[in-house]
Amino acid sequence: MPSIITTIIPTFRRPALLRRAITSALAQDGVSLTVHVFDNASGDETRSLVSELAADDPRLRYQEHERNIGATDNFEFGFKSVETPFFSVLSDDDYLLPGFYQHALDDFAKHPEAIFWAGMTLQVDEKGDIWDVRTDQWPIDGMFLPPEGLMVMMHGKAPIWTGIVFRREILDLIGLPDREALGPSDLDFILRAAASYPFVLRKYPAAVFTLNSASYSATQPLSSFWPGWQKMLLNLETNTSLDGRVKTEALAALHQDARRMLFRRGANALSAGRYDFTLGAAAALHTYYDQRGRAWMLRTLAIACARLPWLQRVYAKAYRTVEHLLVKSRTDLKPRFGHLIRRS
């Protein structure tokens, strides 16, 4: 049977985790699919791993670049390679949950006007603790028409694309993810789609997103994503499918999210001793949002911790303790979803 869905898996030097990602996609029952791995010149055992798995399953395809073309170009290469009616994007350290694709296709059959289908993506740390399930906070599920779906996504409730199946046509309608949106390009892509087209969201556990301490978002400087947030705001501001009132409300909500994001990421970076990031976040809060109190707090703590190693240790321990308590306070997540978590 011809494939209906393509799973795009960009990868770079994570063969152990890649195996989990690939097998989770190949294990999707009742769906004709292609799993396409795009290796960004890893130069390790990635090739042999995929060859081993492909020998037992012809649905697995492999593309290895001659040189490292960068993460953005590798993702773009994957998008441009899609030939099936539907596709999803799976990072090499994440994995899919049983029934994801089948549930999506069932709803697509009922709602042919939907441009994408989103399920629940569990955000899980390297120890297996569940930190959040964003779309669990949605008041209802089902079909969402624009701009209603866009507005529900505000304040940190946007679905993660790990748990989304897109129609291939979305690439013709809104184009590829915006390169200038940098780190948040995935969020920008989803917001642009929801602003103009209907979609289906179901409260069905579809995928697991790994909060990896060595990931791009956890190690890169502020310049890798704050300009991207600014581009995402500009994309929303210039979106011609939104009327004036909706655009004003959406921009206000996204700016509020940006302020909260800058402060939280600045505080998190400080716990890891990434002082340049914290100082940059403080400067952005001051310059763009005139949040002098929060900016002063981050800047003062960063300077003090850089000068006093003992204070850095105290702050880091306190921050981790607060994080731990926040995770533990979400007492309903583990009983509901804990059985779905896999180890590498």
Side-chain angles (χ1 to χ4, degrees), residues 121-124 129-134 137 156 211 330 333:
T121 298
L122 318 182
Q123 293 177 263
V124 177
D129 291 328
I130 304 171
W131 283 57
D132 198 9
V133 185
R134 289 181 187 174
Q137 304 171 44
L211 299 166
R330 297 160 185 160
L333 296 182

Side-chain angles (χ1 to χ4, degrees), residues 106-135:
D106 288 346
D107 264 325
F108 276 125
K110 297 174 187 174
H111 303 284
E113 68 274 33
I115 200 65
F116 68 81
W117 183 97
M120 302 168 74
T121 298
L122 318 182
Q123 293 177 263
V124 177
D125 67 16
E126 293 159 304
K127 296 184 294 183
D129 291 328
I130 304 171
W131 283 57
D132 198 9
V133 185
R134 289 181 187 174
T135 50

Side-chain angles (χ1 to χ4, degrees), residues 115-170:
I115 200 65
F116 68 81
W117 183 97
M120 302 168 74
T121 298
L122 318 182
Q123 293 177 263
V124 177
D125 67 16
E126 293 159 304
K127 296 184 294 183
D129 291 328
I130 304 171
W131 283 57
D132 198 9
V133 185
R134 289 181 187 174
T135 50
D136 194 32
Q137 304 171 44
W138 286 45
I140 57 173
D141 66 1
M143 170 70 81
F144 288 84
L145 302 177
E148 176 193 12
L150 172 70
M151 297 308 299
V152 183
M153 290 183 184
M154 297 296 111
H155 307 307
K157 296 179 184 177
I160 298 172
W161 75 5
T162 311
I164 294 179
V165 175
F166 298 98
R167 287 192 187 273
R168 169 63 183 77
E169 291 93 321
I170 197 172

Side-chain angles (χ1 to χ4, degrees), residues 37-49:
V37 175
F38 298 89
D39 183 2
N40 209 1
S42 294
D44 56 9
E45 61 267 37
T46 297
R47 171 186 279 275
S48 60
L49 165 69

Side-chain angles (χ1 to χ4, degrees), residues 319-336:
Y319 186 88
R320 287 193 294 269
T321 299
V322 171
E323 277 192 330
H324 178 76
L325 291 174
L326 284 173
V327 174
K328 292 299 182 184
S329 70
R330 297 160 185 160
T331 55
D332 65 321
L333 296 182
K334 187 174 182 179
R336 292 167 60 200

